[in-house]
Amino acid sequence: LDVLNRAKKQGVIPISLYPLMEFTGTSLDFRKLQESWCVVSAPPVAEPIVSALAVEMGMEPVTVDEEGRAHAASAIALATSFFQTTIQESADRMKQAGVKEPGRVLHPLVLSLLENAFRTSLGEQT
């Protein structure tokens, strides 16, 4: 939020909302928002308002303070780049193996692996 320091001097309250989803640019995004979390950051006085805004947009807010934003951004970048790279490489290798629709073949596998990772590695229930 430091990039807004100049505006802050003029009375602006800096806020940040970061939806945790991959946007498609289609109407599917509206439904996906309803299933997504949103990283929200704001000064303590504005945090309830920013969280309410995320809820109004259909997302579940998760508050991250200014000190934690770099860690959250790093986690998000790691997860997104890892999955995009790994799935693309897997699809390319399936194509080389002669599989005509690698996405259809890999989709259930990747979903089951992801669900199992959250259930077992992170101790969360999906």
Side-chain angles (χ1 to χ4, degrees), residues 4-15 43:
L4 299 172
N5 279 344
R6 257 178 86 186
K8 231 165 102 174
K9 292 177 184 175
Q10 296 183 21
V12 171
I13 299 173
I15 65 169

Side-chain angles (χ1 to χ4, degrees), residues 1 3-4 8 12-18 39-43 45-51 53-54 66 69:
L1 298 176
V3 298
L4 299 172
K8 231 165 102 174
V12 171
I13 299 173
I15 65 169
S16 172
L17 289 103
Y18 190 94
V39 174
V40 298
S41 298
V45 67
E47 192 279 321
I49 297 166
V50 177
S51 291
L53 179 58
E66 186 63 23
R69 285 172 49 85

Side-chain angles (χ1 to χ4, degrees), residues 87 90-92 94-95 99-112:
I87 291 170
S90 296
D92 290 346
M94 289 296 261
K95 285 179 188 174
V99 175
K100 294 186 187 336
E101 297 182 72
R104 285 185 54 181
V105 173
L106 292 171
H107 186 254
L109 169 66
V110 171
L111 287 180
S112 66

Side-chain angles (χ1 to χ4, degrees), residues 27-44:
S27 60
L28 294 173
D29 292 342
F30 294 112
R31 183 181 55 77
K32 286 186 174 190
L33 274 175
Q34 304 298 308
E35 303 166 354
S36 296
W37 287 78
C38 182
V39 174
V40 298
S41 298

